[in-house]
Amino acid sequence: MTDTEKAEYEGIIRMLTAKVEELAAENARLRSEKSDALSVCQEVYSDPNARPALRIKAAGLALPHETPRLQSVPPPLDLVAEPPEPLADLVERQRARLNKLLALPLSARAALIPGSNGGNGSDD
């Protein structure tokens, strides 16, 4: 065996050793990470070196788990709407209330306003 053949073999051995170490490191990384089905699919479709058909299949399998489907949910409360009051009745009721308030003396009206002194000099 000549020195050039020996150097060539040693170079090949170094390359193979580096590749084995790289693969061992990748195996250790894959075992240390969570390796559920979704994670594997995400890793496959994120790998630019994977075949496009395989990446598309992995993305399709992961999609329903990454973005959940919108589903209808029952209402949190059992509410029943009241029938609307006709506008004419509402206006009449509000005007009657206003007329009652205007009929009160000024001191009585001031007492109804929150934060006013109500005519008694206090700031309650």
Side-chain angles (χ1 to χ4, degrees):
M1 180 182 291
T2 64
D3 287 338
T4 55
E5 288 177 335
K6 187 176 177 183
E8 187 178 329
Y9 289 136
E10 286 176 352
I12 291 174
I13 290 173
R14 275 193 296 277
M15 276 187 357
L16 290 174
T17 303
K19 186 65 175 176
V20 166
E21 288 173 352
E22 177 186 326
L23 292 174
E26 184 177 357
N27 280 343
R29 179 184 62 82
L30 290 174
R31 287 189 179 138
S32 68
E33 293 178 356
K34 66 178 187 176
S35 58
D36 57 353
L38 178 59
S39 300
V40 172
C41 285
Q42 289 171 333
E43 188 169 329
V44 169
Y45 76 68
S46 298
D47 182 10
N49 298 325
R51 294 188 329 251
L54 183 62
R55 290 180 69 189
I56 291 171
K57 178 135 181 132
L61 291 172
L63 184 62
H65 304 285
E66 290 179 334
T67 54
R69 291 184 184 151
L70 294 178
Q71 297 178 355
S72 63
V73 295
L77 302 174
D78 188 23
L79 302 176
V80 178
E82 296 177 4
E85 182 179 3
L87 184 59
D89 294 345
L90 176 67
V91 169
E92 185 179 330
R93 190 169 48 83
Q94 292 292 335
R95 283 187 179 157
R97 180 176 174 263
L98 176 65
N99 290 333
K100 284 181 190 176
L101 287 173
L102 291 176
L104 292 175
L106 189 55
S107 60
R109 281 190 265 164
L112 296 174
I113 300 173
S116 71
N117 61 11
N120 61 8
S122 68
D123 288 335
D124 292 336

